[in-house]
Amino acid sequence: MVNFSKTVHINQYKVKVLVDTGASVNIINKKTFDQLINTSRTQIHLTKTKTKVLPYGANQPNLKVIGEFSALVETSTKMTSTTILVLETSHKNLLSG
């Protein structure tokens, strides 16, 4: 598993993320989501999700998932459409890699 920080664009908004090659989901915190919807040129629809997020090494879901949305994520070498979960947390944003 490799972790490193990187700046990406989510719907054309710069977001600093931790790229985690062992992660199975993409996550942003509520603060980043609020900034994203206030500055995004595209409309973002947050929908309910049944996805549970477990912190590494835990067996009980204790991270509150607010919802999910589809977004265009761009790096310097790649562009892809993906689902991003929004969590009620102060942890760093996480991009699966």
Side-chain angles (χ1 to χ4, degrees), residues 6-8 73-80:
K6 185 172 193 158
T7 299
V8 300
V73 177
E74 298 174 71
T75 67
S76 58
T77 60
K78 187 176 177 182
M79 182 185 315
T80 188

Side-chain angles (χ1 to χ4, degrees), residues 48-52 68:
K48 290 185 178 184
T49 181
K50 292 182 179 184
T51 303
K52 304 260 190 250
E68 67 181 21

Side-chain angles (χ1 to χ4, degrees), residues 23-25 27 51-65 85 87 94:
S24 59
V25 293
I27 294 171
T51 303
K52 304 260 190 250
V53 178
L54 297 168
Y56 180 75
N59 58 7
Q60 294 291 327
N62 63 352
L63 297 176
K64 183 180 177 190
V65 179
L85 301 176
L87 270 60
L94 181 75

Side-chain angles (χ1 to χ4, degrees), residues 18-85:
L18 180 66
V19 178
D20 184 346
T21 59
S24 59
V25 293
N26 301 301
I27 294 171
I28 63 173
N29 59 44
K30 175 91 166 68
K31 180 180 177 184
T32 300
F33 178 73
D34 289 342
Q35 292 169 342
L36 180 62
I37 60 172
N38 288 330
T39 59
S40 181
R41 296 178 189 163
T42 58
Q43 198 168 21
I44 297 172
H45 301 283
L46 192 63
T47 59
K48 290 185 178 184
T49 181
K50 292 182 179 184
T51 303
K52 304 260 190 250
V53 178
L54 297 168
Y56 180 75
N59 58 7
Q60 294 291 327
N62 63 352
L63 297 176
K64 183 180 177 190
V65 179
I66 299 169
E68 67 181 21
F69 66 99
S70 295
L72 183 64
V73 177
E74 298 174 71
T75 67
S76 58
T77 60
K78 187 176 177 182
M79 182 185 315
T80 188
S81 181
T82 190
T83 299
I84 299 176
L85 301 176

